[in-house]
Amino acid sequence: MTSHSATPADDAQPESPFRHASTDRDEAPQFVLPLVVRIERAAPPARTDALETAARAVLLLLSDARSAGEGEWAQAVRDWQDARIRKVVRRARGAEWRRAEALPGITVTGKSAEVRVFPPVPLDGWPKDLARLQVSGTELDDPEAPGQPDAGTPVLWLNPHVDMSAGKEMAQAGHGAQLAWWELSDAEREGWRAAGFPLSVRRPGAARWRELVASGLPVVRDAGYTEIAPGSCTVVAEHPALPGAAGR
């Protein structure tokens, strides 16, 4: 599991926080959004389910009342979004998971995955029960290939040409969900939230990937802190309400 941040595609909307000048973002105090995935030895989650659950966790944090206005997490969220948008995925099991669940945050359950997201923390100021968790050393697989996304469901498309660890992909899926969230209107956000944030994470073929990158949809370009080269395009976020989305 690894830490990362993202920068936008050149055609991202002007109001996106990713559009801030890189020097301004680098000079701001740096925060990180912690995500912890539960991985018990006897029953690890399926990889795609973990990615989708992590993406929904990010959306639930962003849409939570505590993250807005004068909410208890709002200042931390604003500070995080004013700097590099970093997410770190760590793993926990047994007593580690129970200690993580005792900290303020939101646990999201998928078909086989459990992911807990926490309000942003300073890059060097992690709570001790999270700081001690492992960042690397665990890989996840899909017992069977995921099927086609349901028609009308938002899809986070992973770059088929880039190999990433499960933790890296979880964070990238979270970045993609966040970009889509920022591009939606208030009414579209509320509709997505009310539906329970349905979404899929899939890997397209090479030709479809080229179409997606050129479609004008939000694109995650990784800052290159870990695993892959800076500027690598990792995810295209396709939401039916966004221009460039194709009907399925």
Side-chain angles (χ1 to χ4, degrees):
M1 309 301 177
T2 50
S3 64
H4 353 40
S5 71
T7 55
D10 292 339
D11 57 0
Q13 294 296 317
E15 65 270 17
S16 168
F18 285 148
R19 292 287 292 183
H20 291 184
S22 60
T23 52
D24 292 340
R25 300 183 72 82
D26 289 332
E27 290 173 0
Q30 298 296 300
F31 284 73
V32 62
L33 186 77
L35 296 117
V36 175
V37 56
R38 183 179 186 180
I39 303 181
E40 302 290 346
R41 288 188 178 91
R47 186 185 185 106
T48 296
D49 189 42
L51 304 184
E52 293 172 349
T53 304
R56 284 195 297 273
V58 171
L59 291 166
L60 283 164
L61 186 285
L62 292 171
S63 63
D64 194 283
R66 290 167 289 184
S67 298
E70 300 302 317
E72 60 186 287
W73 299 344
Q75 188 59 54
V77 170
R78 286 192 291 268
D79 290 342
W80 169 59
Q81 293 186 140
D82 283 343
R84 289 281 183 177
I85 306 297
R86 299 189 182 199
K87 298 178 180 71
V88 173
V89 178
R90 298 183 180 234
R91 59 183 172 90
R93 61 172 61 96
E96 296 173 331
W97 175 256
R98 291 190 291 273
R99 286 193 292 269
E101 278 207 304
L103 299 174
I106 304 169
T107 296
V108 184
T109 301
K111 296 175 182 176
S112 61
E114 288 183 81
V115 175
R116 188 164 179 83
V117 61
F118 304 86
V121 298
L123 192 59
D124 57 356
W126 284 66
K128 64 179 182 180
D129 285 332
L130 298 183
R132 63 173 56 139
L133 297 177
Q134 292 294 313
V135 177
S136 61
T138 296
E139 197 48 75
L140 299 173
D141 297 307
D142 280 315
E144 57 185 37
Q148 289 293 318
D150 292 336
T153 300
V155 182
L156 306 173
W157 296 100
L158 295 172
N159 189 335
H161 308 298
V162 175
D163 291 327
M164 295 178 279
S165 68
K168 182 80 172 178
E169 286 188 346
M170 288 174 69
Q172 297 300 308
H175 289 333
Q178 189 168 3
L179 279 176
W181 175 259
W182 281 333
E183 298 292 337
L184 297 175
S185 68
D186 289 344
E188 290 162 346
R189 290 178 179 180
E190 176 54 28
W192 199 10
R193 186 201 63 78
F197 290 122
L199 58 84
S200 298
V201 176
R202 295 293 187 269
R203 195 179 303 273
R208 174 64 175 140
W209 176 251
R210 289 193 296 271
E211 293 174 356
L212 287 162
V213 172
S215 67
L217 291 165
V219 178
V220 178
R221 297 186 187 277
D222 193 68
Y225 291 117
T226 62
E227 296 194 26
I228 59 178
S232 297
C233 177
T234 58
V235 176
V236 175
E238 184 180 28
H239 187 289
L242 295 179
R248 291 186 308 279

